[in-house]
Amino acid sequence: NINGTEEKKFKRFESYKRDNQFPTKIDSLQILVDPKASTVILPIMGRPVPFHIHTIKNASTTPEGDMTFLRINFLSPGQGVGRKDEQPFEDPQAHFVRSLTFRSKDIDRMDRISQQITELKKEAVRREQEKKQMED
Amino acid sequence: MEAFENIHLDLSKAAGKCRFAETGLGWRPAGHQETWTLDGRDIRQAQWSRAARGYEVKIYTRAGAVIQLDGFQHEDFDRLSKVFKIWYSVNLEHREHALRGWNWGKAEFGKAELAFNVQSRPAFEIPYSEVSNTNLAGKNEVSVEFSTAQEQPDKANTAGNIDLNQKKRGKKTTVAADQLVEMRFYIPGTALSKKEKKVKEEEEM
């Protein structure tokens, strides 16, 4: 653009259009990663709640006793280190879910989910960069 | 009398039979003697929506409680809709949830629960009874903590942590394999920065 700086634009995305697109395994009331929809499905009060990978910043696990805590951080305004790092948002004045923390006794599965989310995020970032290069 | 099998009450591990009669409804887990009941006159509002486990009937009581019954089949809607209409004079409203996968929207505080709405559709709801604590975790950041099993005696092996006759607070997630313990929201404009606060104080003086 005019200033020679690159302006980041918000691109819309959508996890699902209809509830019959959910993977059938949601009935386990467990966290699921659906790579086909680039989405992580989180059980919140019995509801399968999709979060697109583009909303997710990172995921990490912390063991504590016989439990593991899985924390998923989401992208929200006011988190960028500098102005340049700030992600574009469709509506910065909206309310945002900033993080969700789950705990489970199933340590292996929690670690696996955390890795899956990290992989999915990497893949999404890689694809974005490829697209950008193509555009350039 | 209308009966439905494999229904869970408030996300209980154990499934049970849910019966509807003219005077009210009841739920009993398999192999249990006691039955949880609700007087039909206590029903203020009822909603039908897609849940993780099949479909869910959510009942808002006059006393402000939120009761969740899940595990229904898609085709149960017609029968249930009649039950609520004819016996309890309540519309079983179809409530569709947001599936876009967005983390931004509007947190709205209702009578009995907090709904996070994405483009006017709820993505999820949190009944206040499940919240154990809330904090202003930072500037524009609100944390909501949920009751955890540790605070309650471990009764998970009975009826899935359900006290049949006395509804306990904050038990909906305690039996889940993946238990939600904390949620943080970014709410713009809720907190004033130190500078803003100072300015405001000076203005008020």
Side-chain angles (χ1 to χ4, degrees):
Chain A
N1 65 30
I2 340 159
N3 302 323
T5 53
E6 198 192 332
E7 199 182 315
K8 284 184 188 173
K9 267 198 209 131
F10 178 83
K11 285 196 200 87
R12 272 208 171 187
F13 48 83
E14 193 168 35
S15 289
Y16 304 103
K17 289 205 189 310
R18 294 167 184 280
D19 60 31
N20 60 16
Q21 293 171 312
F22 275 131
T24 48
K25 268 176 77 186
I26 52 164
D27 63 5
S28 64
L29 287 169
Q30 292 177 349
I31 298 166
L32 283 183
V33 179
D34 181 5
K36 268 192 281 178
S38 301
T39 292
V40 180
I41 303 165
L42 302 174
I44 303 178
M45 300 295 153
R47 190 92 44 217
V49 186
F51 288 96
H52 196 280
I53 195 67
H54 286 169
T55 66
I56 295 173
K57 194 173 165 193
N58 54 39
S60 59
T61 54
T62 316
E64 208 181 293
D66 60 344
M67 296 276 213
T68 283
F69 287 79
L70 171 70
R71 182 176 169 131
I72 301 170
N73 290 315
F74 297 90
L75 293 164
S76 62
Q79 286 176 315
V81 184
R83 273 215 157 212
K84 275 182 194 164
D85 296 337
E86 187 75 53
Q87 287 279 326
F89 293 99
E90 188 181 55
D91 180 8
Q93 285 308 304
H95 301 162
F96 283 74
V97 175
R98 192 168 247 185
S99 77
L100 288 172
T101 307
F102 287 83
R103 69 171 195 183
S104 177
K105 282 187 177 153
D106 201 340
I107 295 171
D108 291 344
R109 192 166 50 79
M110 286 294 112
D111 284 340
R112 219 157 45 229
I113 288 167
S114 171
Q115 281 165 16
Q116 281 178 311
I117 295 173
T118 307
E119 281 303 311
L120 201 58
K121 184 73 202 172
K122 262 193 212 156
E123 181 66 18
V125 169
R126 194 180 58 79
R127 247 183 282 149
E128 287 285 297
Q129 281 171 342
E130 270 181 10
K131 229 192 250 170
K132 227 190 228 165
Q133 280 173 352
M134 299 272 274
E135 283 164 6
D136 293 345
Chain B
M1 178 85 77
E2 292 275 10
F4 300 85
E5 301 278 355
N6 285 317
I7 305 302
H8 301 257
L9 171 67
D10 284 336
L11 307 172
S12 63
K13 242 183 205 149
K17 196 180 215 170
C18 188
R19 284 199 180 93
F20 293 82
E22 210 172 333
T23 51
L25 58 139
W27 177 84
R28 187 159 71 180
H32 237 252
Q33 294 303 309
E34 281 175 283
T35 303
W36 168 88
T37 57
L38 180 70
D39 193 314
R41 290 169 298 187
D42 292 340
I43 302 171
R44 183 171 60 84
Q45 202 188 346
Q47 281 171 0
W48 171 264
S49 42
R50 178 69 209 247
R53 230 164 7 205
Y55 285 78
E56 172 201 77
V57 171
K58 189 187 246 182
I59 297 170
Y60 299 87
T61 70
R62 296 196 187 280
V66 180
I67 290 151
Q68 290 175 264
L69 291 158
D70 67 6
F72 290 100
Q73 307 288 312
H74 187 256
E75 55 272 20
D76 292 340
F77 176 76
D78 289 343
R79 269 164 78 202
L80 281 160
S81 174
K82 271 183 201 153
V83 160
F84 278 87
K85 183 97 213 154
I86 296 165
W87 287 337
Y88 315 136
S89 308
V90 165
N91 258 332
L92 184 60
E93 302 158 30
H94 232 282
R95 195 167 205 203
E96 283 194 45
H97 287 76
L99 303 173
R100 291 179 179 271
W102 296 359
N103 70 323
W104 66 98
K106 194 160 192 283
E108 285 185 85
F109 296 86
K111 265 185 194 156
E113 58 187 14
L114 157 70
F116 191 76
N117 294 318
V118 173
Q119 292 205 316
S120 328
R121 276 187 186 178
F124 57 84
E125 300 101 337
I126 307 284
Y128 300 134
S129 57
E130 307 306 303
V131 175
S132 67
N133 199 14
T134 61
N135 268 309
L136 195 60
K139 191 179 176 247
N140 299 330
E141 187 167 310
V142 175
S143 86
V144 177
E145 287 162 39
F146 300 96
S147 317
T148 55
Q150 277 170 348
E151 290 163 27
Q152 289 179 0
D154 186 20
K155 290 186 287 182
N157 293 327
T158 60
N161 231 0
I162 282 204
D163 187 330
L164 287 171
N165 291 313
Q166 201 184 347
K167 283 187 67 72
K168 287 238 171 92
R169 287 166 64 90
K171 60 172 171 37
K172 289 192 203 221
T173 62
T174 55
V175 292
D178 298 342
Q179 188 191 340
L180 180 63
V181 290
E182 194 210 46
M183 186 179 276
R184 283 180 184 230
F185 292 100
Y186 166 81
I187 313 275
T190 48
L192 298 171
S193 69
K194 268 184 191 160
K195 204 176 152 195
E196 285 168 326
K197 234 180 216 165
K198 215 178 158 201
V199 170
K200 198 164 179 258
E201 277 166 14
E202 281 167 2
E203 275 173 1
E204 281 165 0
M205 283 202 326

